[in-house]
Amino acid sequence: MSKLTAPAVRALKVRSGADPIVMLTAYDAPGARIVDEAGADLILVGDSVAMVVLGFDDTLQVTIDDMAHHVAAVARAKPRALVIGDMPWLSYHVSVQDSVRNAARLMKAGAQAVKLEGGAKRVPMIEAIIDAEMPVMGHIGLTPQSLHAFGGYKVQGRNQAAALALVADAQALQSAGCFAIVLECVPDEVARMVTDAVDVPTIGIGAGPHTDGQVLVYHDVLGIEDRITPKFVRRYGSLKEQSVAALTAFASDVRNCRFPSETESYHLSSEAAEAMGLYGSATKTA
Ligand code: KIV
């Protein structure tokens, strides 16, 4: 299969007969290879790296340097999926010029598009980034970089005014030129309203089934992160549990002198062993 492009993704609307888009996060080369081999359409190098990889309590702590570092690692895997670099907090809030330069950092690191959070108020930044030839994915609803402004991780669009504001934001992002829009933590009826109101695909996370695609965080899907499970996460693996069991078995083998075995060790040739005055133990060539 050939590599997906942002213009190709823009056309993937379920109501036009497209299959739902599959997006997963990845933050390093092995993760990108796994996601790509699983057939995902899009890889988001999300600022969720702050929480699931770097151990921070929220996404506000990562910088454009951190994001470029992780985008570059993902890009080195040369995935077929489109690689989208997430713009971190404050990388597109201060000025339009900064926003373009920071988006370019992620593109130079290997992203083929960038994502940023916010609706109509981000239009000047989005237009400038697109004008500099970089595709932009929007992100509305619960935007985690607005954690403190929202007063917590709260479902958005729960009343008519808020739902209509989300529709207006999505339309503003589409008019600004976004090729797709992430919709996070909104009631499924509102996700349907937004999806019906725009021609670009919506990709939901905690937004129910009526979007043009779904995204989940790698560590959540695989059960590597098992401390919190948001309602919208479905676990398809329990890698944390399996990893702890595997590493416990390794520790036990080491402590009980069961690792390494003969076959897991290198050996001198019998001639070399003999020349060194060692007899009996050397049977194989390294
Ligand atoms: O950073 C991230 O992982 C995201 C997704 C949850 C959409 O923004």
Side-chain angles (χ1 to χ4, degrees):
M1 278 191 287
S2 57
K3 180 146 185 111
L4 270 177
T5 62
V9 172
R10 194 193 181 287
L12 299 179
K13 209 60 194 164
V14 168
R15 69 170 175 237
S16 308
D19 286 338
I21 297 166
V22 178
M23 179 157 96
L24 280 159
T25 65
Y27 313 99
D28 56 21
R33 279 193 287 271
I34 291 168
V35 168
D36 208 41
E37 280 181 36
D41 302 305
L42 312 179
I43 296 178
L44 172 66
V45 187
D47 63 352
S48 48
V49 68
M51 298 170 78
V52 295
V53 174
L54 302 177
F56 292 114
D57 288 335
D58 56 49
T59 60
L60 303 180
Q61 313 303 328
V62 278
T63 64
I64 194 73
D65 290 344
D66 297 326
M67 293 309 301
H69 178 78
H70 287 278
V71 166
V74 165
R76 275 180 219 117
K78 299 191 174 39
R80 180 198 76 94
L82 186 78
V83 176
I84 301 159
D86 211 2
M87 297 193 66
W89 180 57
L90 277 195
S91 70
Y92 56 96
H93 303 71
V94 178
S95 74
V96 167
Q97 286 87 344
D98 271 1
S99 308
V100 174
R101 270 188 215 105
N102 287 326
R105 287 284 312 279
L106 300 189
M107 300 293 284
K108 284 184 177 174
Q112 286 108 35
V114 297
K115 175 173 86 58
L116 57 83
E117 297 182 4
K121 68 179 171 187
R122 302 291 169 225
V123 162
M125 287 77 172
I126 292 170
E127 285 178 342
I129 295 169
I130 293 173
D131 196 47
E133 317 300 347
M134 297 174 271
V136 177
M137 173 178 275
H139 182 164
I140 55 175
L142 169 52
T143 45
Q145 292 170 14
S146 319
L147 164 68
H148 299 296
F150 286 162
Y153 295 111
K154 294 181 180 162
V155 175
Q156 301 294 302
R158 277 192 182 279
N159 59 51
Q160 194 181 13
L164 292 177
L166 282 174
V167 170
D169 274 338
Q171 288 170 331
L173 294 181
Q174 168 174 270
S175 302
C178 287
F179 70 94
I181 301 170
V182 170
L183 259 184
E184 180 162 354
C185 286
V186 298
D188 57 354
E189 299 89 340
V190 175
R192 191 201 282 261
M193 280 169 63
V194 172
T195 300
D196 288 349
V198 291
D199 293 328
V200 295
T202 57
I203 302 179
I205 174 162
H210 311 298
T211 53
D212 299 299
Q214 298 291 332
V215 53
L216 282 177
V217 167
Y218 181 90
H219 291 62
D220 291 337
V221 181
L222 294 179
I224 299 170
E225 174 55 75
D226 67 350
R227 290 167 301 173
I228 357 156
T229 312
K231 175 189 173 78
F232 56 81
V233 167
R234 188 181 295 175
R235 287 230 174 99
Y236 289 85
S238 15
L239 291 201
K240 159 88 184 298
E241 211 176 288
Q242 284 177 262
S243 304
V244 171
L247 299 181
T248 303
F250 168 70
S252 164
D253 281 353
V254 170
R255 291 190 183 115
N256 292 291
C257 304
R258 290 191 298 260
F259 177 87
S261 67
E262 277 282 299
T263 54
E264 287 156 338
S265 307
Y266 296 104
H267 304 282
L268 290 173
S269 66
S270 36
E271 297 75 27
E274 202 171 328
M276 292 164 72
L278 306 167
Y279 298 103
S281 63
T283 51
K284 293 190 183 112
T285 306

